[in-house]
Amino acid sequence: MICGRDRIIKIATVFLFLCLGQISYAEQQWPRDPDYLFYKASRHYEAAQYNEAIAEYSLLLKQGLESGPLYYNLGNCYFKKGELGRAILNYERARRIIPSDGDLEANYKYAASLTQGTSPGDAAPWHQQILERLLGGLSLNGLIILLSMIYASSMLIFIARIYFKGLRRYSMTAIAILIALFISGSLSLYGRISAIGKEAIAITDQAEIKLEPFDRAPIHLTLYEGTKIRILRSKGNWVKISTADKKVGWIKASTIEVI
Amino acid sequence: MAGRKNLKVEWVGHRGLLTGLLCIIMMVLAFPAPSFPENIRPPSRSDATPHPLREKVFLAMEAERTNVHLHEIVPVTIRLFSRGMNLKDIQYPRLSHESFSVQEFEHPVEKRETINGIVYETVEFKTNLFAKKTGDFRLGPARLRCAVWIGKGERDRPPPGDHDAVDSYFGASENVSLDLESEQILFKVSPFPQEGKPAGFEGAVGNFSFTAEVHPKEVRLGEPIALRMRIQGKGNFHTVTSPRIEKGMDFKTYEPQTSEQAGLKIYEQVLIPRSDAVKEVPPIRFIFYDPERAEYRTLYEGPFPIKVTRPDGEKERKIGSVPGPIGRDLITIKESPGRLRKKGDFLYKNKTFLLFQLLPLLLFVSLLFFNRQRERLRTDVKYAMRLEARKGAKRGMKELERVLEKENPIDFYNSLFKILQGYLGNRFCLSSGSITGAVAEEALKPKGIDGEVLKKLGEIFNACDQVRYAASTFGKKEMEETFNRTKEVIRYLENQPL
């Protein structure tokens, strides 16, 4: 009888410790919970505490996480703080994930309209702009899934051609259309993937673009905050860039941030 | 939140640590009511022992009304009464209120009140609350903590129960922590009347005024109009929601921005006309329930005439389907983080996804091959027979190996003969039943088959004939030799491009 009671007490003690451990673990994890951090940051934003909101949102980024709304909200915070360059930078990052979001597009265009340089939307070449008009509503992953579906559909039609001879007359048209879509999508995909890590936004106002990568080199152009540029190569603290109107020069790496 | 703020927090001990700890004593005092007004009297407990302190310090709670509607704001006052006491460290009251939402207490007010000819010093705490659900609910008791110096006169009289030891410990005066408790208040909370309840009523309760204005009144298509709505008055602003635009989808709207002050709530709504045919912002209505009049009231503002012009050279376009520039301010933040993913988690880097892309191609290639094979088997007899020869030989040699284990020469050579007939018939498109050693040699010689192989084949056929027709006896060794020779011949013939 006593042994049985002892066993119950032991089990209860172990259970209690496990519960306490769980509670303690949950308490430790709670401040790192992404939804909680996001909620906390949003409350800071509503209270016009933009620095605090940015700090909370950045904690999520430090955890290696990202999402369209997260970058969008960060963009809003920087905009409200008066940092137009970083606002556009975060809107650009959000556009890679949620390009069809109406609110994002409105805020992005509004922020872009306040920049003094070339509008970020004009940076792409004409053929890329056409493709962007067709496929711009899709995120990078969305585009990959679309291409995968086009490819799978083509294969299905090819398979159907084997077994249903009646389809052969019409299937070539469908396959031709699908191949054209696939090629267009692939070009767009190639453009987007090749832009990763090579596009940047000026985050300081009136940064000097120089002809050569050193301080005393002559100034070539002025880069306004929020302007989108393409990185060609880097050398030490300097980055060789190309502007939307194909002008090339060197700029300090600290004045831009990669999208 | 009630009771969260402390008026003053300080250490009350004065005779070292032990004394200090002993001095912080919780005294839950219950008072018999002498003769106070109905709603201002000390709480009573039937088992309470009289104590001089109880007549000198107590807590009372009163509500402006107790028959209320859901969400209706009710002012509640909690008063700390004391007479000739030196109260210290008075904290804000705490209030048990499961079914109520209680606002923060206002700054306390100190007063003097005379009740039944006795002058009391009071500290008055005011707050507002509203019921969150309908039914009969008890509010309270309110609890308040404070400290008091008890003089020698009071000390000499024995306090109740547990405090005897404390009092006897001290020699002169003592600083005692008091936990005071008021009586509960019973509330009867009624639901909103169904009669006359307008559609669109969202639970606002009180007595409000409503004004609205739009600015600017002339815009170009795509530009925003700010609609500013002010709700002012007495009531529960927690349940006040943004007034509704009466009709129409002529505008693209955004979530209104809200700001609130005491007795005033302001909504600022951005409206973007969807076309230049829009001539006015339609009437806006605000509905609330007025508990004093016991009726629903609907207040209207508008319509507001506006003028929308199309920018020069621009054709008609729909606002809303394509987001346009909003104008003067940002659209507010997102409330949900959406689908959080690892940074740079793109599908083109995902090996599983990329491998998965091979599946349709593999399926197509497999089906194509399978179909072609099927077609060839159907149309190319020679090919089909050759395949059958290979399969049949493989199957037959396995069977022959089993027969060999039984060491029965007749069965072995009979089986071997049949296998050779079947194989050579299919392999060289001959009639299987007519194949003998001589026939085989005659058919294969022109095809350039090695003479050694033909010789071996002839020997195999001879061995078969000897056992089948001449009753010759062969041992296991001979059978194994024949078996191996047959395998060599078949392997050689399979490798010939005939």
Side-chain angles (χ1 to χ4, degrees), chain A residues 39-83:
Chain A
Y39 172 81
K40 215 169 139 192
S42 302
R43 299 292 76 78
H44 282 307
Y45 177 88
E46 282 170 2
Q49 296 162 344
Y50 303 118
N51 285 329
E52 289 82 352
I54 289 167
E56 296 288 349
Y57 285 131
S58 300
L59 282 177
L60 285 170
L61 294 176
K62 279 178 192 162
Q63 285 184 32
L65 299 171
E66 66 175 5
S67 75
L70 175 60
Y71 285 128
Y72 169 85
N73 287 7
L74 261 173
N76 274 17
C77 290
Y78 280 115
F79 186 94
K80 292 279 186 185
K81 242 186 101 184
E83 294 185 29

Side-chain angles (χ1 to χ4, degrees), chain B residues 376-426:
Chain B
R376 194 170 175 193
L377 286 173
R378 199 167 58 82
T379 54
D380 187 346
V381 177
K382 199 177 167 186
Y383 175 75
M385 287 180 80
R386 188 179 165 175
L387 280 187
E388 183 53 36
R390 186 184 297 163
K391 278 186 198 167
K394 207 173 175 181
R395 203 168 48 234
M397 292 307 283
K398 272 188 185 169
E399 180 61 32
L400 196 62
E401 203 169 4
R402 276 198 292 275
V403 175
L404 177 64
E405 294 298 316
K406 291 176 185 167
E407 296 183 28
N408 184 338
I410 294 172
D411 284 353
F412 177 78
Y413 283 100
N414 269 333
S415 298
L416 176 61
F417 187 73
K418 279 180 190 168
I419 288 164
L420 278 176
Q421 274 192 322
Y423 175 71
L424 293 171
N426 283 329

